[in-house]
Amino acid sequence: MSETVTPVIGLIGGSGLYDLPGLQQREWKRIESPWGEPSDEILHGTLSGVPVRFLPRHGRGHPTPPSRLNYRANIDAMKRAGCTEIISLSAVGSLKEELPPGHFVIVDQFIDRTFAREKSFFETGCVGHVSVAHPVCPRLGDALEASARKLGLPVTRGGTYMVMEGPQFSTKAESLLYRSWGCSVIGMTNMPEAKLAREAELCYATVAMVTDFDCWHPDHDAVTVDQVVKVLFGNADLARGLVADVVPGLGAPRGHCPAGCDRALDHALITAPEKRDPALMAKLDAVAGRVLRAA
Ligand SMILES: CSC[C@H]1O[C@H](OP(=O)(O)O)[C@H](O)[C@@H]1O
Ligand SMILES: Nc1ncnc2[nH]cnc12
């Protein structure tokens, strides 16, 4: 029998995006997660009647750097807050001449070069392997592209987001290497976030907002936070406009995700039921309860 999903739109705001003032019926709520502390409380509200949940990725006031974010707690808390999909709004550096500061890229791939983060909800006691061959939900990508084009934003559909550990920006040799790999943009946060969203069966997409040309560019010797922040605040206002346009269409009741994001765990778990760790099973209730309860 096909189920009807009533969407709750999750938004993760990156650098420069710490609030969504346009939200109605606003309430910041602390969501407890067995995976630890999320970056902040989650702002609950509605946009054109559609339920929205907003999490500032680095916390309000930006206290937490990319390597110290508790990505598992953030995704788990968003799922506990009811989210069915997540749109990440992220500041990035550009690795291509044709993607200048101010440009929006609806990326469709990632290269994960992070190494100091917890990357999976599955551990000893419940082993799971999901596919992230296509880490971005094409349905969300379509909706974001349509809104961006309607609003006249400079936008490119598709591209690879290189995820580095940071917090330092790249060396010039690294920047040139990532360009030689064909990457479009570079940032520090969207992995493992996208992988964890897939494990949690949440549709995920990213609006990567270019703030700088990274250090490969002949006119752009080094990246600085000042420079990034200057572009970022302009981008953030445009991103809020994009959100206001895209949310009403995404809020309509729908069937299952045609790409299967919300069924990612159907064939992912390999640990025999009698070998599963009850404590880990309990932690996985929000993320994987759908399949664990069925087992
Ligand atoms: C302030 S520039 C570097 C910082 O901005 C990006 O974060 P986010 O994706 O949360 O907007 C980048 O990945 C770095 O963490
Ligand atoms: N050049 C850059 N490298 C990594 N993360 C970024 N975020 C914004 N600009 C960036």
Side-chain angles (χ1 to χ4, degrees):
M1 210 177 65
S2 81
E3 243 172 80
T4 301
V5 178
T6 305
V8 176
I9 314 302
L11 299 162
I12 299 186
S15 300
L17 263 167
Y18 309 108
D19 197 356
L20 269 190
L23 226 56
Q24 290 107 38
Q25 299 159 294
R26 294 162 51 88
E27 193 180 347
W28 288 93
K29 293 188 191 177
R30 180 167 190 272
I31 306 288
E32 295 238 5
S33 166
W35 300 94
E37 280 297 311
S39 298
D40 204 332
E41 295 176 329
I42 293 178
L43 177 62
H44 290 51
T46 60
L47 265 180
S48 308
V50 175
V52 169
R53 309 285 180 257
F54 173 80
L55 175 66
R57 178 182 285 120
H58 303 272
R60 282 168 283 181
H62 208 127
T64 314
S67 305
R68 296 279 181 263
L69 292 174
N70 188 337
Y71 294 92
R72 294 194 297 191
N74 284 353
I75 294 295
D76 178 75
M78 289 295 264
K79 184 141 191 194
R80 286 178 196 277
C83 295
T84 52
E85 24 245 304
I86 291 187
I87 297 171
S88 153
L89 303 161
S90 282
V92 292
S94 170
L95 296 168
K96 288 186 188 285
E97 187 77 56
E98 63 272 25
L99 303 174
H103 206 86
F104 284 31
V105 187
I106 299 164
V107 300
D108 57 2
Q109 282 295 335
F110 299 96
I111 292 180
D112 184 3
R113 296 247 308 165
T114 66
F115 50 82
R117 305 168 185 198
E118 295 291 354
K119 296 197 182 191
S120 176
F121 290 108
F122 298 105
E123 300 181 347
T124 306
C126 186
V127 179
H129 304 279
V130 297
S131 168
V132 285
H134 305 287
V136 169
C137 176
R139 187 180 55 83
L140 290 184
D142 288 347
L144 288 165
E145 181 185 8
S147 283
R149 295 206 187 282
K150 182 176 138 197
L151 296 172
L153 301 177
V155 66
T156 295
R157 177 75 184 272
T160 298
Y161 174 138
M162 226 306 303
V163 197
M164 61 181 294
E165 186 60 48
Q168 301 84 0
F169 295 114
S170 309
T171 64
K172 191 164 179 178
E174 287 164 342
S175 195
L176 291 169
L177 176 68
Y178 306 145
R179 264 171 65 73
S180 78
W181 290 350
C183 299
S184 301
V185 294
I186 181 162
M188 305 177 190
T189 61
N190 276 212
M191 285 292 183
E193 195 171 89
K195 288 175 174 167
L196 293 166
R198 176 59 53 80
E199 288 188 346
E201 299 193 315
L202 299 172
C203 296
Y204 184 90
T206 293
V207 181
M209 301 179 288
V210 176
T211 53
D212 56 270
F213 263 125
D214 209 44
C215 62
W216 64 271
H217 198 278
D219 307 336
H220 205 81
D221 194 37
V223 187
T224 67
V225 167
D226 282 2
Q227 186 186 73
V228 166
V229 165
K230 228 184 262 168
V231 183
L232 203 100
F233 286 113
N235 284 352
D237 281 342
L238 296 173
R240 289 191 186 98
L242 178 61
V243 165
D245 192 79
V246 81
V247 163
L250 289 176
R254 58 170 173 83
H256 284 303
C257 170
C261 306
D262 56 1
R263 288 289 177 275
L265 296 179
D266 270 356
H267 307 288
L269 303 187
I270 191 164
T271 306
E274 69 278 11
K275 292 286 184 182
R276 291 181 185 170
D277 170 11
L280 179 55
M281 295 297 101
K283 279 174 84 171
L284 285 166
D285 63 339
V287 162
R290 184 185 73 80
V291 286
L292 293 176
R293 281 189 291 271

